[in-house]
Amino acid sequence: MKTPLIDIRRLTRDYAGGGLFAKPSLTRALDDLTMTVEAGTIHGIVGESGCGKSTLARILMALDKPTSGDVLFDGEPLFQLSPKDLMRKRRDFQMVFQDPFGSLDPRQRVARIVAEPLHVLEVKPSRQEKRDRVMALLEAVGLTAAQADRFPHEFSGGQRQRIAIARALITEPKLVVADEAVSALDLSVQAQVLNLITRLKRERGVTFLFITHNLAVVDAVADQVGVMYRGRLVESGPARAVFERPLHPYTQVLAEAEPSVTKFGRPPRAEPKTSQPLKAEPGQGCAFLPRCRLASPRCASEVPALRSVLPGRQAACHHAETMLAEEP
Amino acid sequence: MSAPDLPHAPAARQRPPLRPNLVIGGAIVLFLFSVALLSLVWTPLPPTKMQIVMKLKAPLEKGLFGTDHLGRDIASMLMAGAWNSLSIAVSAVLLGAAAGTALGVTAAARRGLFEAISMRANDVIFAFPPVLSAMMLGALLGTGRGTAIIAIAVFMVPVFARITAGAAAQVWARDYVLAAMSAGKGRALITVEHVLPNIANQIIVQVAIQLGLAILTEAGLSFLGLGMAPPAPTWGRMLADSQTYLGTAPWLALMPGLAIALTVFGFNMLGDGLRDLLDPREKGRS
Amino acid sequence: MSAPLLDIQGLNIAMRLARGGRLPIVNDLSLTLQAGDTVGIVGESGSGKSLLSLAVMGLLPPAAVVSGRILFEGRDLLSLDDDGMSEIRGRRIGMIFQEPMTALNPAMTVGDQIAEGLVRHEKLSWNAARDRAVELLDRVRIPDPKARASAYPHQMSGGQRQRVGIAIAVAMRPALMIADEPTTALDVTVQAEVLEILDDLCQRESMALMLISHDLGVIARMCARTLVLYAGRRMEEGATRAVLTGPLNPYTKGLLRAVPRRRADDGPLETIPGSVPGFARLPAGCVFSDRCLDVVAACQAGEPAWTSPLPGRGVRCIRAGEEVSA
């Protein structure tokens, strides 16, 4: 079996909160996260704010260090590399950010912005070579070479996101982490950028980690998907299968909450929860318990581990089999 | 979003209309600098030449602005004073801005202990009025141009450090800085390539505004005899000398007073105008 | 039939440019709301949808030049002075913003912020108003409303702040609620709750709702009628279900096709080519003609008129007739 491009092993990241006057606190942004991303795929990560998906992105970009655990990138442990080796490794992973207005330096011309990641190369390309690569990439993302000397404010949101994608691709990385990369775009432009990402995967073999809160977007482009809740991976599997047949109640809640152009009016009210809401002690039991329709006493005492439920499908729920048995 | 959703598309780049602040402020400042430079090569009379017989003449009776108690030509003294005041103010502000900006951007880049210590040190310096620093420095080095420059510059450092640290911290929070970090760039390089160009406008605006303050401070120092040594004419000492004759020769106080007021006003107008012109908030979301 | 609650007739909004001249933004916009109506205004950035809501609230920037009529409960809002407008704003027309943090006062407890309007407009005592504020917080389903009333905005989550925003807006029992992208900044599950609260309020108080959103799904969930805007023009109007299942205007069709969804054949997603043009550089004739897949030569000849090819439907497209007969 070939090694996955990214092998995330028991990744945990705590943030110390509090301060001089507030009492110190510890927030666990990532909790024992294990997952793999295969090369040449679009891997979606879905979750709501505070689920740890942005922390995951920062750690994968080596902009932040995990509290424990490691990330194997192409088989090499990212956080045990020497600074020099890490620098060399950086050409293999790049990032596209959410806000197309905040991710490009307003004082720099497009050519300079796009060329910035070339800084990581040991052998710096010549000026002409740099320029050629920038031009080729601008054309690859649907812009024109003539636009290279303009400033970011002269572009629309969709065009800026194309510039950001060109910048992420200039070192010919193996992985591009896209953190809510189309969320800020207009609908008519969103699909263009999604198509660009799919095309880059197909034509250049780039792997994308596509982080978003929008299930429809993930469903449209992703091969694999992971669903995160409170720093844990609660479900993973092929995107199509996960959305057709969720095995975790949270995935189902997300899918049902998402508005759609085919759902008119008020959705049928969810069945009332059990009269006695179950509560888990902090650090014990399932984090989703208070919102779960399938909650049982076992969920309050035992943290559900991520386990294989079907071939290629994993879920961290004691009741995944119940979900499976239910009529879709 | 409450702002009208005008397209960010690249309409033909708008030429900013002429702003009255900028034009008036710029004109005053330009005029003052021309006069100051002119005084180096020409004044109506030598500004230090005394003619006791001609003392306390009213404006136009002798010279444009009259004469002082020693019969010196006030117009000539004002011109020479402009050079002394402006040269001290400009040197002090540039010195303070350079040191303060270096401190501020370093604090923003390093965060942590360095930031805490340098910013508290700033507060301590800021608590010393420039008059006090000038007295202490004067005792150490003797009064003169250099002492005045250093005393004012020291006072400017915390001002610029604080402004640049705040502005730089905002830049550090932007995603393009993250992008630069993921390109493996270090904090010093990011400061030079991304932070400084993006806060340059705020620094320029602040320089203009602080120049006004520096002029005022310089006048205060020389009023107290802590500025340049006599007989070099300064606006502050002209004011100080005029006190005795306030009843009989009010123009002695009026002329340097107006010069100081005009200069401060000019720099403030220029600062406001530059702020309107350069403030990134005016250019949408850049 | 009674007079409509809100009757916008031939509204035009232009912006005065700093370099002189005027840039027309909103053109020939008409819209009628009866009491209790829910209308969704759909548009992308640069569609003029936010200017429309600001115009109804009397909050247009000083550089805006308006013509037309906005009749609300029989009074022309455009001819009211500031005092008259602020009498209506808040009392008869409520507003919910996208980012409630910017609309809330950070230095005042949320309970007092809700109570403030009641004290000022309804002349309640502070004590009575605070009690009402707790009731309102309960209505927008804030748990433990009594305790939360004394919290400050920064102590609340985004979803809770938006609920406070709604509580402030409904405190005066407005006849019309304008919600400008009220859930765009919220997570989907929180969005679903906030939409449900809003829906409840509309039904219980028979409050009219003008919901501005770029999200067709949110409009489908909330609004009986839909108005589609593009480049400051209304492109299509009708019952939401009819518009979203049988669009007549190619722009609406394009928007619906561009909604991301899994393709059975793994082919590319359908898109609308190009991007929203700037108001300064609109194409001749139909404003959508440069991106339209069904464009014919006649489209560029002149701006298509607003027509009503089907009962209850309005559309701006010269080819809508073919669509209807097909």
Side-chain angles (χ1 to χ4, degrees), chain A residues 114 134 137-138 141 161-171:
Chain A
V114 172
V134 168
L137 266 174
L138 283 180
V141 299
Q161 214 55 321
R162 288 169 191 270
I163 296 170
I165 291 172
R167 168 175 65 188
L169 291 174
I170 197 148
T171 58

Side-chain angles (χ1 to χ4, degrees), chain A residues 38-83:
Chain A
E38 300 296 331
T41 61
I42 298 181
H43 196 110
I45 297 284
V46 184
E48 298 185 278
S49 50
C51 74
K53 52 191 202 274
S54 295
T55 306
L56 178 65
R58 288 179 65 100
I59 289 182
L60 285 177
M61 296 305 295
L63 295 173
D64 195 0
K65 283 195 164 70
T67 309
S68 67
D70 209 335
V71 174
L72 302 190
F73 192 96
D74 243 356
E76 279 185 89
L78 209 51
F79 296 99
Q80 288 163 36
L81 294 175
S82 68

Side-chain angles (χ1 to χ4, degrees), chain A residues 58 61 63 87 90 93-95 97-99 101-108 112 116-117 119-120 151 153-155 157 167, chain B residues 8-10 13 174-186 189 193-195 197-199 201 278 280 283 285-286:
Chain A
R58 288 179 65 100
M61 296 305 295
L63 295 173
M87 181 77 166
R90 280 191 187 279
F93 46 86
Q94 288 293 324
M95 187 157 174
F97 300 88
Q98 169 173 10
D99 178 9
F101 292 90
S103 68
L104 309 179
D105 188 333
R107 303 261 161 222
Q108 295 190 349
R112 185 158 174 217
E116 180 162 53
H119 179 75
V120 300
F151 286 98
H153 73 258
E154 299 175 59
F155 294 89
R167 168 175 65 188
Chain B
H8 337 276
R13 288 187 74 175
R174 305 306 290 267
D175 279 346
Y176 56 80
V177 169
L178 268 186
M181 283 164 82
S182 45
K185 292 192 171 169
L189 192 55
E193 287 191 359
H194 294 288
V195 177
N198 277 291
I199 64 172
N201 286 344
L278 299 176
K283 283 199 212 139
R285 302 179 54 182
S286 57

